[in-house]
Amino acid sequence: MEKMSRVTTALSSNAISGRTMFCHLDAPANAISVCRDATQVVVAGRNIFKIYALEEEQFVEKLNLRVGRKPSLNFSCADVMWHQMEENLLATAATNGAVVTWNLGKPSRNKQDQLFTEHKRTVNKVCFHPTEVYMLLSGSQDGFMKCFDLRKKESVSTFSGQSESVRDVQFSMKDYFTFAASFENGNVQLWDIRRPDRYERMFTAHTGPVFCCDWHPDDRGWLATGGRDKMVKVWDMTTNRPKEIYCVQTIASVARIKWRPERKFHLATCSMMVDHNIYVWDVRRPFIPFATFEEHKDVTTGIVWRHQHDPHFLLSGSKDSTLYQHMFKDATRPVDKANPEGLCFGLLGDLAFAAKESLISSDVNRKPYPGGDRRYPIFFFKKPDPTEQFAHVSSALSVFETDLNSNHMDWFVKTAQLYLLSGKPFAELCDHNAKVAQELKRPQVSTTWTMLRIMFSDPANLTATGPNHNLSSKLGTLPLMNSFSMKEMGTESRLERSKGESRPDNTHLEPGTSHISNNNEENEETEGSEGQAEYMFGDAELDDDELYSMEHDNQTVLLSNTVLSLLPLPNRHEAEVTCLTPIESFSLISISQPLYSPHLPGSFFCPIAREMLSYYAEQGDVQMAVSVLIVLGERIRKEIDDLTQEHWYMSYIDLLQRFELWNVSNEVIKLSTCSAITCLNQASTTLHINCSNCKRPMSNKGWICDRCHQCASVCAVCHHVVKGLFVWCQGCSHGGHLEHIMNWLKSSAHCPAGCGHLCEYT
Amino acid sequence: MEVQDREFLRRWDGLGSRDASSRTEAMENICQEVMRKVEAIGPLPASVPSPPASGSPSNSELNGILAHLLMLSQRCPFEDVRERCICLLQTVQDLGVRIPRPLGNGPSRFIPEQEILQVSKVDTRTQSIFEDAFAALGRLDNVSLVMGFHPQYLDSFLRTQHYLLQMDGPLSLHYRHYICIMAAARHQCSYLVNLHVNDFLQVGGDPKWLNGLGEAPQKLQQLGELNKILAHRPWLLTKEHMKCLLKAEEHSWSLAELIHAVVLLTHYHSLASFTFGCGIMAEIHCDGGHTFRPPSLSQYCMCDIANGNGHSNHHDDPFGNQEVCGEVEVLMERMKQLQEGRDDEEASQEEMATRFEREKTESMLVVTAEDEECVPSRDISRHFEDPTYGYQDFSRSGEHVPTLRVQDYSWEDHGFSLVNRLYPDVGQMLDEKFQMAYNLTYNTMATHKDVDTSMLRRAIWNYIHCMFGIRYDDYDYGEINQLLDRSFKIYIKTMVCSPEKTTKRMYESFWRQFQHSEKVHVNLLLMEARMQAELLYALRAITRYMT
């Protein structure tokens, strides 16, 4: 052994070289450490304790320190450290609370040197002093840190963190007497090794345990910490209060952290759960790792830079029982895969485009965004670092606006606001919505509503009003009706009125519409249904002028129909009908289609309604699809599969929310029948408030604050407790009854509480 | 009918308000409703009382309301409501309607009623916790009342439970309650099953599911296996079990749903332990909590009979045995010795390892209850399959299962991260709850003050984990033998492994000189340690599945 170490010392003068390589260990590793000259690495774990030599092409096992037939728990290592001055000296932290030192210079097989069993709980970390040969520090689960002088049999001083478990201890690289300790409760403490009675400083670094910390090798003020809260933070310790200067958000808890040698802003991290990769971050660019090593198949438990002045070699041990040497040049660079351009549509058709400045600058014609003097590119600049290959990043953002005249999303907003989706009988809803659509000059949609009303209305309840004539006339104008001459039927029958006709018009109409579907089905065989449907609707749209004029003609008829509809009887008989004013009849239909019963169930039309919905959705008018879906409710729901429905709902709700139509969107959510949608407004329904007196959070329900025993939400105008809508100024946090505040602010610009704030009510 | 029920429920809700006037209003509504119903039954000839639970639906409905009123009259944290309820019940009785009376005394069979905090006499902090619980659930259950001994913990417990059952989460509400039923039924805990059957129906669950797991959706049926293993032999969980649930098929679970389900299952397994361990009585308004029969007929509660302790046990004098008087002092002396004498007799590593094995084996020899036949008062077995599957000693199980070392998979480092990743905020809440239970101390032991009980608490915690095959490298298992005597070990083992066998005798025979509040404290420790042990195994299996 001695010989070997002498050989390695000789090698140390050479520059290190190697390649990305790995070797299998017999058991999962918990920690690794390298000797000073970077030629050997020690791997420690619950069931492994070995030294490997790092050769050009491979790892070579040099020594197994785990000896004895039934090794004791002292060999079960949570951490290991190789002394950076004395190459024969190693220390391990055992899970049973022992701190053990090992002397490789010993001639016997068992190299165990000293055993300290002063800690009561697992020791999480051991750390040698960077320059002092005999000084060793340990941090344990029992909340104590102990400093050992290896020439003595027991610890020389004990530091009590006065709190929970110690997770990491690190001597400062530059300050001889200082060390940092990180704790399970989120704190970091700085100690002076000469003063065991009290820490020098303490600050809260993370929420939850701080698993690791590392001093910057060059900059004496910098300490990096990593915690269970998935953050890496860099603290400037030179200031009066430790200041967070950089913060990197990772995707999993941070178990180990190591500054990269010779690169001021780089550090490597790994996680103890879920994520197996090793990341190297440039702390100035916290959103994307600078480099990633993805070799391990299970969580990485130990990382160490092979040589303290060489940034190109990283060693890592893992629970997957492998030991890796990673070459920096072989690392994955996520930046290369990241999309360098971004594109997004605005609500009103604006287009934003971000790309590397170099790509855009060639475009001479680019005009600056008219939105003001705000500087674009806005993302960030990074000074080129000559030592790094990390691309100089700056992006430019351009915004293209659509022509204001072509801005035609108004109809969407209006429709959303005016549509009625519930609260009235089906037929009325349809009529109302048809009217809305018509007013917004969307005759096709309007017609659809009317047709729906006719198709799905219960014959008895059908309130016949004007629009059903639209249908008939529309049908009349369809040229494709090949089996029947609908044109004649629709317009001519209107003129032919037979007083003695036994069927009321609504039942007539149903067979009439059944023609469409019938027709449709026939065509389906030859042409395919979708084309047909489109054609029909498209056609109707063209003819809408005609429709309107006809509606006018039928005013008188309307009246009579309304009267008729008021009759509650499901089947009206001849006698009753005859006493009424003339009714238009569809004798042609009733004759030519004797096969259909006069009362077609709504379900008969489901296929066509379904097609219609899909058509609208595909056209991008998801509003129509969802509105119809809600209004039809049970009648159609089973026809359309849940996923599609959910998709439509989601798209519509998304659109509504982007237009800030919160009320409408909530109504839609409430009315939807998909479980995935209805739960949307069940989420995050808690509103946290602070007491207006003592400014502390109100944990109670109700109006009395727990702590100061005062009514928390008192109206500033009437001084009574507000139990309904409470409106408050976000500037001064005074407020009260909505009405009172509104009235007050009409006459005065100042806050009613007299705090002098100029409140604004919008 | 159903609509009416809903309306009525809303009326009950009004009673939870902190505002006295809205409570009065709600109470007024209830009065009217009750009177209306009473009148509907018609004037009853006082001499011929109507048979209880007679067939007519309006009558049974009324009985339900009366039972609820009875519960409120005793358990509502608001004094005005309690008074009004008593009044109303009296009025109804005067009209010739038979009113119910509670079965049993107080929330627990083991703890005399007068020992437990009275709803009317609690400090402001507990009062406000009770009020919150009442507002959230419309009831103050017996579990909360008993936990009221330890308000700090109760707060954390209720917050977690409320979050798991009511707040944002991947599972729908009726699924959650059904999973609770499954978990509680595994231990034949009729108390929890009844409670959640009501809740399940209230959130719109399909009553058909209650006929048995076979009627529930395929997805829930698949959870049966996990429920079974988790409840009795969690160390057998492997990633294959998780794979089975998570594989992409029609009835598969998502990871987030699975975590939610696992947390619910473990929570309710351990809550069942607590329920039995503290002898929690059936809720007054639930089946078995009240009776319409006049008091002369029977003094026995079903569960008492089932567990083999009739009321005769009440007459046992806990201090009758003079031998145990010095028990506390002996225990304290031992703790002191252990603390001081630590360094003197440092055991060798081999010795330490064998001590764990010995404790493990010994825990096996601790015989749980006499083999009594358990008669669940409600047909609970239909909520789970394979009723013969029970706890089997870790060390006895045929195939050799490796010990779980906490240093390799711990809640703080690993479990927490996984839970918090998939079910945000719950990790934090559980973490707080575990810490609260583990660190809770008043520095007292029986009548002694200023005692550091950390050693005792750690021994209890680690003993439970030891029974589940979880080992702490840094713990000397010899301490357990020093600190926990045999009757205590029997109690722990019964409560954790087959809680349905816990009897009043066991509860009384350990730690005779200790206060009831301290015994409840022990129960909290047991409950949380068990929950963590189950969670560790389940989460480890999920982690393995994910890697």
Side-chain angles (χ1 to χ4, degrees):
Chain A
M1 199 64 230
E2 258 178 315
K3 198 164 73 187
M4 190 191 80
S5 49
R6 234 176 275 130
V7 173
T8 52
T9 328
L11 272 173
S12 66
S13 54
N14 298 349
I16 45 174
S17 59
R19 59 180 189 94
T20 294
M21 60 188 181
F22 76 99
C23 75
H24 284 289
L25 311 172
D26 314 322
N30 276 345
I32 59 173
S33 185
V34 284
C35 71
R36 186 177 56 157
D37 58 11
T39 52
Q40 291 177 76
V41 57
V42 57
V43 183
R46 174 170 294 283
N47 294 313
I48 184 171
F49 191 20
K50 281 181 181 172
I51 292 178
Y52 287 86
L54 289 154
E55 298 194 347
E56 195 83 358
E57 292 292 317
Q58 61 188 339
F59 290 99
V60 176
E61 185 180 328
K62 281 287 174 197
L63 185 62
N64 188 356
L65 289 157
R66 205 177 150 78
V67 291
R69 212 176 301 123
K70 203 179 171 198
S72 79
L73 274 177
N74 290 345
F75 286 97
S76 165
C77 306
D79 191 36
V80 62
M81 182 155 178
W82 202 315
H83 203 293
Q84 293 303 298
M85 306 286 292
E86 174 59 64
E87 55 221 5
N88 278 336
L89 194 54
L90 290 162
T92 57
T95 51
N96 63 352
V99 175
V100 194
T101 59
W102 311 80
N103 184 358
L104 300 182
K106 267 191 172 182
S108 66
R109 257 186 86 223
N110 190 347
K111 310 282 182 197
Q112 181 171 328
D113 193 17
Q114 296 237 55
L115 177 70
F116 304 98
T117 51
E118 294 182 29
H119 284 293
K120 291 197 182 73
R121 305 283 305 267
T122 300
V123 179
N124 287 319
K125 197 75 190 176
V126 284
C127 183
F128 280 115
H129 195 277
T131 49
E132 199 60 47
V133 177
Y134 295 111
M135 202 185 285
L136 175 68
L137 191 64
S138 67
S140 155
Q141 198 77 10
D142 60 14
F144 292 103
M145 295 142 277
K146 285 178 188 287
C147 181
F148 301 95
D149 184 327
L150 299 184
R151 292 162 295 196
K152 293 181 183 161
K153 285 272 171 245
E154 53 196 38
S155 63
V156 284
S157 43
T158 301
F159 309 85
S160 166
Q162 303 282 327
S163 66
E164 291 170 67
S165 321
V166 187
R167 299 309 297 242
D168 201 356
V169 283
Q170 292 287 343
F171 276 111
S172 166
M173 295 295 205
K174 300 287 174 185
D175 291 327
Y176 184 89
F177 295 111
T178 309
F179 72 89
S182 73
F183 290 83
E184 201 145 85
N185 60 5
N187 287 342
V188 170
Q189 295 177 353
L190 287 196
W191 289 81
D192 187 313
I193 201 85
R194 297 160 297 185
R195 288 198 56 193
D197 54 328
R198 216 192 118 73
Y199 53 80
E200 300 283 297
R201 344 167 55 165
M202 176 167 86
F203 62 99
T204 303
H206 294 265
T207 51
V210 188
F211 286 139
C212 50
C213 59
D214 196 29
W215 290 95
H216 197 282
D218 302 320
D219 198 318
R220 56 188 275 167
W222 284 16
L223 180 72
T225 59
R228 192 170 73 178
D229 59 0
K230 307 177 190 174
M231 307 265 225
V232 174
K233 290 181 180 173
V234 180
W235 304 86
D236 183 356
M237 311 294 286
T238 52
T239 48
N240 227 353
R241 260 176 80 104
K243 204 173 92 202
E244 180 186 324
I245 43 176
Y246 295 106
C247 178
V248 178
Q249 175 87 48
T250 69
I251 58 167
S253 58
V254 182
R256 308 271 176 187
I257 189 165
K258 281 275 176 280
W259 286 100
R260 189 175 172 205
E262 312 285 301
R263 295 289 183 275
K264 187 174 180 195
F265 294 100
H266 286 193
L267 48 79
T269 67
C270 66
S271 163
M272 63 170 67
M273 272 301 283
V274 191
D275 188 19
H276 309 161
N277 297 344
I278 302 164
Y279 300 102
V280 178
W281 301 88
D282 184 314
V283 289
R284 295 162 301 177
R285 197 178 174 185
F287 310 106
I288 189 163
F290 171 61
T292 327
F293 299 101
E294 298 167 343
E295 280 84 1
H296 285 297
K297 303 278 188 295
D298 200 340
V299 285
T300 311
T301 48
I303 47 175
V304 60
W305 295 95
R306 185 171 161 187
H307 192 272
Q308 44 185 320
H309 295 292
D310 189 332
H312 300 296
F313 296 85
L314 180 70
L315 300 168
S316 69
S318 158
K319 282 247 193 262
D320 65 3
S321 305
T322 56
L323 172 67
Y324 260 92
Q325 168 169 282
H326 309 274
M327 294 292 292
F328 215 82
K329 61 176 166 53
D330 296 332
T332 319
R333 303 296 181 96
V335 179
D336 298 343
K337 289 183 195 153
N339 195 348
E341 283 107 33
L343 182 73
C344 186
F345 273 106
L347 202 51
L348 302 170
D350 299 346
L351 182 68
F353 176 66
K356 254 189 202 166
E357 220 178 17
S358 54
L359 288 175
I360 290 192
S361 56
S362 60
D363 181 7
V364 196
N365 295 329
R366 184 168 63 100
K367 284 178 204 149
Y369 179 59
D373 285 340
R374 274 185 294 158
R375 287 277 313 276
Y376 294 98
I378 53 166
F379 287 167
F380 51 86
F381 284 107
K382 179 173 159 315
K383 279 192 186 145
D385 183 347
T387 62
E388 218 40 79
Q389 315 90 310
F390 210 7
H392 163 202
V393 182
S394 71
S395 298
L397 177 72
S398 358
V399 175
F400 306 93
E401 285 181 320
T402 44
D403 192 359
L404 274 177
N405 300 329
S406 64
N407 176 7
H408 41 223
M409 284 305 279
D410 281 350
W411 63 266
F412 178 88
V413 178
K414 286 236 173 70
T415 314
Q417 285 166 340
L418 295 174
Y419 266 3
L420 279 181
L421 300 177
S422 67
K424 283 191 174 172
F426 170 70
E428 273 176 53
L429 290 179
C430 288
D431 285 343
H432 175 90
N433 294 346
K435 222 172 97 200
V436 170
Q438 216 169 71
E439 274 160 11
L440 290 169
K441 301 207 169 48
R442 300 174 72 213
Q444 182 191 348
V445 173
S446 168
T447 314
T448 311
W449 280 112
T450 311
M451 285 175 64
L452 283 171
R453 182 182 67 97
I454 295 160
M455 288 170 171
F456 288 94
S457 278
D458 187 1
N461 297 330
L462 180 63
T463 47
T465 41
N468 55 354
H469 299 293
N470 285 356
L471 172 78
S472 51
S473 56
K474 185 194 72 152
L475 295 182
T477 54
L478 285 176
L480 260 179
M481 303 293 167
N482 42 11
S483 53
F484 304 99
S485 166
M486 293 291 279
K487 187 154 189 124
E488 275 175 33
M489 203 170 58
T491 48
E492 287 177 25
S493 65
R494 199 182 306 274
L495 306 171
E496 278 178 31
R497 290 164 186 158
S498 66
K499 270 195 176 179
E501 178 54 48
S502 65
R503 290 188 176 84
D505 68 332
N506 47 7
T507 48
H508 285 305
L509 274 168
E510 291 198 13
T513 40
S514 74
H515 278 282
I516 308 172
S517 52
N518 183 31
N519 217 338
N520 209 359
E521 275 155 23
E522 279 175 25
N523 281 307
E524 222 169 312
E525 287 159 17
T526 54
E527 299 179 17
S529 60
E530 206 165 281
Q532 170 67 6
E534 259 173 64
Y535 190 63
M536 275 172 60
F537 289 120
D539 203 36
E541 201 168 9
L542 286 177
D543 291 323
D544 55 88
D545 281 353
E546 198 187 339
L547 296 184
Y548 299 139
S549 61
M550 270 172 206
E551 196 178 18
H552 236 64
D553 295 342
N554 292 325
Q555 286 294 350
T556 47
V557 186
L558 287 182
L559 270 173
S560 67
N561 282 350
T562 325
V563 175
L564 183 67
S565 66
L566 292 173
L567 292 170
L569 292 171
N571 285 311
R572 275 160 284 192
H573 300 291
E574 219 174 320
E576 290 166 279
V577 178
T578 45
C579 68
L580 294 164
T581 37
I583 303 157
E584 43 174 343
S585 72
F586 287 75
S587 50
L588 266 175
I589 300 167
S590 50
I591 293 163
S592 56
Q593 284 294 86
L595 287 176
Y596 289 108
S597 80
H599 301 289
L600 275 171
S603 60
F604 183 86
F605 302 104
C606 281
I608 193 173
R610 186 181 59 212
E611 264 166 38
M612 183 272 290
L613 285 179
S614 320
Y615 162 76
Y616 275 114
E618 258 160 53
Q619 289 288 301
D621 188 359
V622 73
Q623 180 177 48
M624 183 66 185
V626 171
S627 304
V628 171
L629 199 60
I630 292 174
V631 169
L632 284 178
E634 287 297 341
R635 300 176 183 85
I636 189 83
R637 196 185 313 137
K638 291 196 183 64
E639 294 288 317
I640 298 165
D641 71 289
D642 286 347
L643 271 181
T644 317
Q645 286 192 31
E646 201 181 308
H647 183 64
W648 291 349
Y649 274 121
M650 286 307 260
S651 323
Y652 187 38
I653 290 164
D654 184 43
L655 267 176
L656 287 173
Q657 291 182 343
R658 289 179 65 180
F659 277 104
E660 300 182 353
L661 297 164
W662 312 112
N663 290 338
V664 185
S665 104
N666 196 43
E667 192 191 355
V668 169
I669 293 173
K670 252 172 84 182
L671 291 171
S672 74
T673 46
C674 298
S675 53
I677 304 295
T678 42
C679 69
L680 282 182
N681 61 3
Q682 303 300 313
S684 334
T685 51
T686 319
L687 183 67
H688 298 280
I689 52 172
N690 284 0
C691 170
S692 59
N693 286 319
C694 61
K695 313 285 183 242
R696 277 182 294 184
M698 296 265 294
S699 51
N700 264 343
K701 295 185 187 89
W703 297 281
I704 308 268
C705 171
D706 257 357
R707 295 194 173 80
C708 58
H709 300 286
Q710 300 244 3
C711 285
S713 43
V714 176
C715 174
V717 180
C718 69
H719 300 288
H720 286 286
V721 177
V722 186
K723 291 181 180 171
L725 275 181
F726 188 87
V727 60
W728 72 93
C729 168
Q730 300 195 340
C732 66
S733 78
H734 292 112
H737 294 102
L738 180 61
E739 259 175 77
H740 294 168
I741 296 290
M742 273 167 78
N743 287 335
W744 177 275
L745 291 176
K746 266 181 207 156
S747 54
S748 166
H750 288 273
C751 173
C755 67
H757 187 258
L758 287 167
C759 301
E760 222 177 302
Y761 177 80
T762 44
Chain B
M1 181 83 176
E2 207 164 89
V3 178
Q4 261 185 353
D5 275 355
R6 290 269 161 74
E7 267 172 33
F8 214 85
L9 284 173
R10 214 170 302 136
R11 236 166 264 149
W12 293 125
D13 282 351
L15 295 177
S17 163
R18 274 173 194 274
D19 178 40
S21 64
S22 50
R23 287 201 302 266
T24 318
E25 197 182 321
M27 203 60 223
E28 202 54 51
N29 280 330
I30 291 168
C31 281
Q32 281 168 15
E33 178 74 22
V34 169
M35 295 322 278
R36 209 169 49 75
K37 286 218 156 62
V38 169
E39 275 161 32
I41 296 171
L44 292 166
S47 53
V48 191
S50 63
S54 65
S56 97
S58 66
N59 206 353
S60 69
E61 204 183 316
L62 176 65
N63 284 348
I65 296 169
L66 289 179
H68 202 123
L69 282 173
L70 179 70
M71 183 274 284
L72 288 175
S73 73
Q74 301 208 349
R75 296 290 148 77
C76 180
F78 300 104
E79 193 175 0
D80 52 340
V81 176
R82 285 199 302 271
E83 281 168 5
R84 295 293 314 262
C85 287
I86 294 170
C87 268
L88 180 57
L89 282 171
Q90 190 59 47
T91 322
V92 172
Q93 192 175 29
D94 292 346
L95 284 172
V97 179
R98 176 165 287 165
I99 61 161
R101 63 181 181 82
L103 270 173
N105 305 314
S108 160
R109 278 198 307 283
F110 297 169
I111 309 170
E113 194 176 9
Q114 57 273 16
E115 292 269 341
I116 296 178
L117 297 175
Q118 300 294 307
V119 181
S120 44
K121 294 173 255 163
V122 288
D123 57 32
T124 44
R125 175 169 181 181
T126 322
Q127 173 73 18
S128 104
I129 296 173
F130 280 174
E131 281 173 16
D132 279 343
F134 187 78
L137 288 168
R139 63 166 188 252
L140 187 61
D141 48 27
N142 291 338
V143 168
S144 312
L145 273 176
V146 173
M147 283 183 189
F149 279 123
H150 308 283
Q152 285 169 299
Y153 173 82
L154 177 64
D155 192 24
S156 175
F157 173 83
L158 286 176
R159 199 149 19 101
T160 312
Q161 184 166 276
H162 182 246
Y163 194 91
L164 288 177
L165 290 174
Q166 256 96 25
M167 304 295 276
D168 308 353
L171 289 171
S172 56
L173 290 180
H174 61 291
Y175 262 57
R176 301 183 197 187
H177 287 294
Y178 197 80
I179 291 172
C180 300
I181 297 172
M182 284 168 70
R186 202 60 240 180
H187 284 308
Q188 298 162 32
C189 181
S190 54
Y191 169 80
L192 291 173
V193 170
N194 280 336
L195 216 55
H196 283 281
V197 163
N198 287 348
D199 289 348
F200 173 75
L201 294 175
Q202 222 176 79
V203 296
D206 184 352
K208 248 193 277 168
W209 296 8
L210 296 175
N211 294 337
L213 196 53
E215 304 266 339
Q218 182 79 33
K219 188 166 166 176
L220 283 169
Q221 287 182 33
Q222 286 181 341
L223 204 63
E225 179 77 5
L226 178 67
N227 182 23
K228 184 177 84 176
I229 300 177
L230 203 53
H232 304 295
R233 300 168 207 173
W235 52 88
L236 295 180
L237 278 180
T238 60
K239 68 175 184 188
E240 272 67 37
H241 291 114
M242 299 301 165
K243 207 172 177 176
C244 210
L245 291 167
L246 292 164
K247 68 184 173 214
E249 268 177 24
E250 202 184 338
H251 306 293
S252 74
W253 291 75
S254 73
L255 264 172
E257 286 173 330
L258 185 62
I259 292 276
H260 193 171
V262 161
V263 174
L264 277 175
L265 286 175
T266 52
H267 181 87
Y268 276 86
H269 289 153
S270 48
L271 191 57
S273 279
F274 180 85
T275 309
F276 284 111
C278 288
I280 301 289
M281 293 286 290
E283 291 293 335
I284 294 177
H285 63 287
C286 289
D287 290 349
H290 62 271
T291 179
F292 283 88
R293 280 192 220 123
S296 60
L297 286 181
S298 160
Q299 277 287 356
Y300 293 99
C301 165
M302 279 290 278
C303 318
D304 273 334
I305 297 166
N307 281 341
N309 39 304
H311 275 232
S312 54
N313 281 7
H314 286 303
H315 305 303
D316 275 356
D317 178 12
F319 301 103
N321 196 339
Q322 289 300 313
E323 264 181 296
V324 295
C325 269
E327 195 189 39
V328 184
E329 287 72 20
V330 170
L331 187 55
M332 283 174 64
E333 190 53 40
R334 280 197 187 142
M335 280 167 65
K336 215 165 146 196
Q337 273 173 5
L338 279 173
Q339 239 147 7
E340 288 165 355
R342 255 193 107 77
D343 309 59
D344 303 345
E345 37 127 22
E346 192 53 53
S348 75
Q349 293 309 311
E350 290 72 22
E351 172 64 15
M352 298 287 266
T354 45
R355 277 183 193 173
F356 175 75
E357 295 301 325
R358 196 170 58 213
E359 208 49 57
K360 225 165 63 176
T361 334
E362 255 178 39
S363 82
M364 187 181 95
L365 299 174
V366 172
V367 189
T368 58
E370 311 80 80
D371 277 328
E372 286 174 276
E373 276 305 304
C374 277
V375 189
S377 59
R378 185 185 178 123
D379 186 15
I380 287 167
S381 55
R382 63 185 177 208
H383 291 300
F384 59 91
E385 295 159 323
D386 195 3
T388 52
Y389 194 91
Y391 175 84
Q392 199 181 36
D393 293 294
F394 179 77
S395 33
R396 189 161 51 185
S397 42
E399 61 272 60
H400 183 70
V401 185
T403 310
L404 185 149
R405 310 273 192 150
V406 165
Q407 273 74 13
D408 293 344
Y409 200 96
S410 69
W411 164 256
E412 286 80 14
D413 293 4
H414 306 90
F416 172 88
S417 300
L418 184 64
V419 172
N420 230 26
R421 185 186 189 88
L422 295 168
Y423 188 10
D425 297 347
V426 165
Q428 199 63 48
M429 288 183 163
L430 290 176
D431 200 38
E432 273 167 31
K433 191 158 70 89
F434 287 141
Q435 279 190 24
M436 178 67 74
Y438 191 86
N439 294 327
L440 187 70
T441 180
Y442 305 98
N443 294 316
T444 55
M445 269 176 78
T447 51
H448 300 263
K449 294 211 165 59
D450 293 326
V451 189
D452 179 8
T453 57
S454 59
M455 184 176 268
L456 190 56
R457 282 180 281 133
R458 193 168 167 214
I460 296 172
W461 188 276
N462 287 0
Y463 182 61
I464 292 157
H465 278 191
C466 167
M467 281 189 294
F468 283 98
I470 298 174
R471 178 169 178 194
Y472 290 78
D473 279 345
D474 52 1
Y475 187 67
D476 175 7
Y477 284 83
E479 281 184 23
I480 290 178
N481 250 353
Q482 301 270 315
L483 298 177
L484 312 184
D485 60 22
R486 192 170 166 77
S487 58
F488 189 30
K489 278 187 182 170
I490 292 180
Y491 179 73
I492 294 181
K493 172 132 196 213
T494 315
M495 206 196 109
V496 170
C497 302
S498 36
E500 60 278 7
K501 290 183 187 152
T502 315
T503 62
K504 188 164 188 214
R505 195 161 349 129
M506 286 180 198
Y507 177 82
E508 278 167 353
S509 61
F510 84 93
W511 280 15
R512 297 192 175 208
Q513 288 176 318
F514 283 76
Q515 319 263 334
H516 283 292
S517 74
E518 288 171 311
K519 291 195 175 185
V520 172
H521 185 174
V522 167
N523 267 291
L524 296 180
L525 264 181
L526 303 188
M527 171 167 108
E528 294 300 333
R530 174 176 182 196
M531 177 168 181
Q532 197 180 71
E534 281 186 23
L535 260 184
L536 279 180
Y537 279 110
L539 294 175
R540 187 179 67 162
I542 294 174
T543 309
R544 286 189 175 160
Y545 168 80
M546 286 168 76
T547 52

